[in-house]
Amino acid sequence: MITRNKSNDGDLVRVSHLPLAKIAFARSPHLRHLCNRLSSFRMAGTEVKSKKPAPAKNQSGGGGGGGKKKEVKKETGLGLTNKKAENFGEWYSEVVVNSEMIEYYDISGCYILRPWAMSIWEIMQAFFDPEIKKMKIKNCYFPVFVSPSVLEKEKDHIEGFAPEVAWVTKSGQTDLEIPIAIRPTSETVMYPYFSKWIRGHRDLPLRLNQWCNVVRWEFSNPTPFIRSREFLWQEGHTAFASKEEADAEVLEILELYRRIYEEYLAVPVIKGKKSELEKFAGGLYTTSVEAFIPNTGRGIQGATSHCLGQNFAEMFEIDFEDENRKKAKVWQNSWAYSTRTIGVMVMVHGDDKGLVLPPKVASVQVIVIPVPYKDADTQGILDAVSATVDTLSAAGIRAESDSRDNYSPGWKYSHWEMKGVPLRIEIGPKDLKNQQVRAGRRDNGEKIDIKTADLVEEIKKLLDNIQQNLFDVAKQKRDECIQVIHTWDEFIQALGQRKMILAPWCDEKDVETDVKARTKGESGAAKTLCSPFDQPELPEGTKCFASGKPATKWSYWGRSY
């Protein structure tokens, strides 16, 4: 009997004593992978309960190192069944599950974040939270529930979220007299209280942030991290006396988002401004960091920093008395990044062996594995493994060992490669004799012998090099996908080649709407990603690629997530 309560798309599935060919109908990537796994089980009635692999055979002579021989169970393969270049969507689904980042939940579009993923979120939080506190931004927490009257007060804003708002309509078996919404974002939750707390110019600036969850009831293609019905994020909400102060903060926060992507996740991004069509509903303007996934030819909005202007201040009557005792409206910002960041990192760096983690966000930067052969001094090797972990940990390097004796060294290599650990250290009889370790890089597979006396210094250098190499490789791949065009025909050709397109544009909303309509298809319509702050020279007389009108700026275009 094989039982799984829910598939990725929410379908109840029960299969009992059926040949493998008859369960190939499984629609979700998770179930298809489960079906493939069944090929290693030939006995009728075998139950597959989870992704946890069975203990492995001793492939390389490793194991107990003396004494009574232990019984080892049948080894389960760890490889991926899909390749990144051939079936990106199913490859991605396999990687995030097999690397133990997420587990599918029994509600479609919701996912369990396992410690391997949660630790990455915590590391990014440990960077970002102190940085915003330097800016005198304070953490708070507002309730997850929103009353309909407040939610609907700012109509332009809520229109953008209306299809995704989830509602609580019952308490037990009793219908609520007034349904309660679950926050899709917190502008309408927080701003009635800004109005209460802000009275005069001495109450400004008011700068708050909260680390929380939000719910957006996505119906189209839920994808772990990238598009889920509940996700974690931080959301900052601030109010100022002047537009100049608000403008300065927008860019300061955007730079922190760039640093998260480029310095921590090793993902290159472009800082820019969103078009009027793509800006935050109800805001004055939106800035963003934009990433690109070469394998799919799609852009992805990494994080956003919005200047809301005075629109919400008008709606929620957030007034203050200035230094001249005149009544004025505040200027507001909101800004956020979410667990989507983790999905972008997986898409950019992962390979056919699984996850590839940049050292700065890896909860385990170095895994140390004993490799005892035949009549080797097993205890001596295990002692060297423990000493290596202790030395690295004392130096601030996140190191762990895998000394389990019911798994072979070869199985462990594959397991930790799947989980994306940046650096593997192997210690065998030769290494013990020569007072060295062998280090293997996850990013490029290179192996290096390091003297024990130089361990800390050399490992730190290697981790720094891996971090930089991941960024450099990702940037090269991204840059190779950028194509500059000037005409509509060039645009269509580049779009078909899955490029990130830089084009001269007249910056008119109707023109972007027309581009979307003319490019709509099974893969989705093309749209502006952002207009980069770093603008190339725009020669006088340059025409808009889409309308033929005079171009006013360069903008990135493409399909996106």
Side-chain angles (χ1 to χ4, degrees), residues 4 6 10 68 87 99 104 122 132 147 149 162 222 241 252 272 478 503 556:
R4 187 163 188 86
K6 291 281 184 176
K68 185 178 178 180
N87 196 332
S99 65
Y104 287 94
E122 290 172 338
I132 61 174
S147 67
S149 59
E252 196 171 357
R478 192 277 312 271
Y556 283 101

Side-chain angles (χ1 to χ4, degrees), residues 200-319:
H201 63 90
R202 293 180 183 85
D203 299 322
L204 295 172
L206 178 59
R207 309 175 83 180
L208 301 179
N209 175 72
Q210 64 174 354
W211 297 91
C212 63
N213 64 335
V214 292
V215 173
R216 297 180 185 174
W217 210 251
E218 299 273 7
F219 284 96
S220 59
N221 302 318
T223 304
F225 300 118
I226 301 301
R227 192 175 293 279
S228 57
R229 288 178 171 171
E230 180 189 6
F231 56 87
L232 302 180
W233 73 350
Q234 59 71 216
E235 52 175 327
H237 296 271
T238 54
F240 300 90
S242 69
K243 183 176 184 294
E244 290 74 21
E245 293 173 282
D247 289 339
E249 185 196 67
V250 165
L251 297 182
E252 196 171 357
I253 292 294
L254 195 69
E255 173 60 13
L256 292 180
Y257 292 155
R258 182 203 65 79
R259 290 183 63 190
I260 285 172
Y261 272 97
E262 297 196 342
E263 295 179 14
Y264 281 78
L265 301 174
V267 172
V269 291
I270 294 166
K271 293 199 295 185
K273 185 178 178 181
K274 287 289 192 180
S275 69
E276 283 295 302
L277 205 61
E278 294 295 322
K279 75 177 184 180
F280 184 66
L284 182 62
Y285 65 85
T286 292
T287 67
S288 68
V289 289
E290 300 286 332
F292 189 76
I293 312 301
N295 288 77
T296 61
R298 291 181 180 272
I300 187 163
Q301 181 176 283
T304 49
S305 184
H306 317 283
C307 179
L308 303 179
Q310 295 178 306
N311 186 36
F312 288 91
E314 289 281 353
M315 290 291 168
F316 292 95
E317 299 178 354
I318 311 175
D319 303 317

Side-chain angles (χ1 to χ4, degrees), residues 123 358-367 392-393 396-400:
I123 289 168
K360 278 195 174 183
V361 295
S363 60
V364 178
Q365 297 172 311
V366 180
I367 188 69
L392 294 175
S393 298
I397 296 166
R398 296 188 289 274
E400 292 185 6

Side-chain angles (χ1 to χ4, degrees), residues 51-256:
K51 289 281 182 180
K52 185 175 180 180
K57 291 178 182 177
N58 189 333
Q59 293 177 329
S60 308
K68 185 178 178 180
K69 188 175 181 181
K70 293 182 178 290
E71 180 183 354
V72 284
K73 300 178 182 179
K74 181 176 181 179
E75 181 168 352
T76 299
L78 288 172
L80 301 175
T81 60
N82 291 282
K83 294 188 179 299
K84 186 177 184 180
E86 295 174 2
N87 196 332
F88 185 86
E90 296 198 13
W91 166 86
Y92 176 80
S93 295
E94 273 196 280
V95 169
V96 295
V97 172
N98 289 14
S99 65
E100 299 176 348
M101 297 189 84
I102 67 105
E103 184 59 78
Y104 287 94
Y105 195 55
D106 65 354
I107 297 174
S108 176
C110 297
Y111 309 96
I112 299 166
L113 298 188
R114 301 182 67 179
W116 204 245
M118 198 65 194
S119 62
I120 297 172
W121 182 245
E122 290 172 338
I123 289 168
M124 291 189 289
Q125 184 177 15
F127 159 72
F128 189 80
D129 200 63
E131 291 295 326
I132 61 174
K133 284 175 178 170
K134 290 177 190 175
M135 298 166 63
K136 309 302 181 187
I137 296 165
K138 294 178 171 61
N139 283 328
C140 64
Y141 186 80
F142 279 73
V144 70
F145 300 114
V146 195
S147 67
S149 59
V150 172
L151 189 66
E152 294 166 4
K153 193 167 185 177
E154 211 302 298
K155 300 205 183 298
D156 288 343
H157 169 68
I158 198 56
E159 273 183 13
F161 292 104
E164 301 171 0
V165 175
W167 295 88
V168 178
T169 59
K170 279 190 173 185
S171 172
Q173 297 301 315
T174 305
D175 291 337
L176 296 183
E177 186 176 342
I178 300 174
I180 299 171
I182 301 175
R183 63 176 171 223
T185 180
S186 294
E187 281 76 8
T188 57
V189 179
M190 299 172 75
Y191 296 167
Y193 298 91
F194 277 36
S195 177
K196 180 179 179 180
W197 299 335
I198 297 170
R199 288 289 179 263
H201 63 90
R202 293 180 183 85
D203 299 322
L204 295 172
L206 178 59
R207 309 175 83 180
L208 301 179
N209 175 72
Q210 64 174 354
W211 297 91
C212 63
N213 64 335
V214 292
V215 173
R216 297 180 185 174
W217 210 251
E218 299 273 7
F219 284 96
S220 59
N221 302 318
T223 304
F225 300 118
I226 301 301
R227 192 175 293 279
S228 57
R229 288 178 171 171
E230 180 189 6
F231 56 87
L232 302 180
W233 73 350
Q234 59 71 216
E235 52 175 327
H237 296 271
T238 54
F240 300 90
S242 69
K243 183 176 184 294
E244 290 74 21
E245 293 173 282
D247 289 339
E249 185 196 67
V250 165
L251 297 182
E252 196 171 357
I253 292 294
L254 195 69
E255 173 60 13
L256 292 180

